[in-house]
Amino acid sequence: MDQFWADAVFLHWRIDAGVAARFMPPGVVPDVVDGSSWVGLIGFRMVGAGLGRGLPVPYLGSFAEINVRLYSRGPDGTRGVVFVTLDASRLAVVLAARTAGIPYVWSRCSPLNRGEGEVGYDVVRFRRQAASRFAVQPDPTRTAEDEVSLELTARFGLHSALAGRTLYIPNTHTPWPLHPARVTELDDGLLAAAGFPVSGSPDSVLFSPGVQTQFGKPGVVHTS
């Protein structure tokens, strides 16, 4: 599946590895970056997603997505992402992804249009079970090239559990063009709803205009 991830906002907090371990699929452990595990609140616009290298799927292939994610390491050392929740407004996409073990949630998700380069996202789950609203002001004159920024974003696959098995789904993309950013608004309930009662400002705030990506075929992770 090809897709473009546009206007990505990355907010990250340090957390204890023991907290992250509760969400790992069998055989997978929390990855440690700069001495910590991390939880991320990530918003972006999915643009032109399509099966294989064919034409994008009309309407269903473009939408805003906001996810809560952790960072993982498989038994062979492969590093990846573990999605805790993913909010999206396309019901067909949500239902299809959930059959594959990806924890999508049907929500009203939309970009915040602020002008002057400010980028953000607004999420309200149906029946108002949880909501989130956040925005950042990127600094396009600077590039984020520190080790923490690169390791939190350069993830080329995800670990997931399905039908008693642990899967690894590879993802290919060029390095994210990253810019440091500052938070201009943050009123989040998704992290707490997922089981991460973080407090205070994020320890890492980044923005990227986006990358073209492609998911590959899932493979079974041999855990013993």
Side-chain angles (χ1 to χ4, degrees):
M1 176 176 283
D2 278 355
Q3 48 197 240
F4 189 82
W5 297 339
D7 295 334
V9 174
F10 300 89
L11 306 180
H12 285 99
W13 289 260
R14 294 177 185 268
I15 61 171
D16 186 84
V19 174
R22 299 200 298 266
F23 297 87
M24 296 290 120
V28 176
V29 299
D31 198 10
V32 173
V33 176
D34 193 38
S36 298
S37 289
W38 297 73
V39 61
L41 177 66
I42 319 298
F44 65 95
R45 292 187 301 110
M46 184 90 71
V47 180
L51 296 176
R53 296 182 180 274
L55 294 175
V57 179
Y59 178 72
L60 293 177
S62 297
F63 53 90
E65 178 184 307
I66 294 84
N67 62 68
V68 174
R69 73 189 202 184
L70 301 168
Y71 300 95
S72 53
R73 188 178 292 270
D76 62 351
T78 301
R79 301 164 70 236
V81 168
V82 169
F83 290 112
V84 181
T85 58
L86 306 94
D87 286 75
S89 52
R90 298 289 189 261
L91 179 58
V93 173
V94 169
L95 294 177
R98 290 185 72 89
T99 64
I102 309 299
Y104 267 86
V105 180
W106 190 29
S107 306
R108 179 182 61 77
C109 304
S110 57
L112 295 175
N113 298 314
R114 296 289 184 79
E116 298 185 359
E118 195 172 354
V119 182
Y121 294 91
D122 182 74
V123 188
V124 179
R125 290 182 179 165
F126 289 97
R127 299 181 181 177
R128 301 195 67 85
Q129 297 175 10
S132 182
R133 186 179 176 93
F134 56 93
V136 302
Q137 182 72 56
D139 183 352
T141 67
R142 298 168 56 206
T143 300
E145 298 177 323
D146 59 284
E147 182 180 359
V148 170
S149 297
L150 296 179
E151 290 203 19
L152 291 178
T153 58
R155 297 284 163 156
F156 299 101
L158 65 97
H159 289 105
S160 179
L162 179 65
R165 298 181 300 173
T166 298
L167 303 179
Y168 182 78
I169 305 173
N171 178 263
T172 303
H173 59 79
T174 58
W176 288 93
L178 292 172
H179 302 288
R182 62 178 179 86
V183 174
T184 55
E185 182 176 356
L186 178 58
D187 183 9
D188 176 64
L190 299 186
L191 288 168
F196 304 100
V198 300
S199 61
S201 300
D203 296 294
S204 172
V205 182
L206 300 167
F207 169 78
S208 176
V211 292
Q212 184 73 34
T213 76
Q214 183 180 49
F215 281 101
K217 294 181 180 180
V220 176
V221 176
H222 299 287
T223 60
S224 61

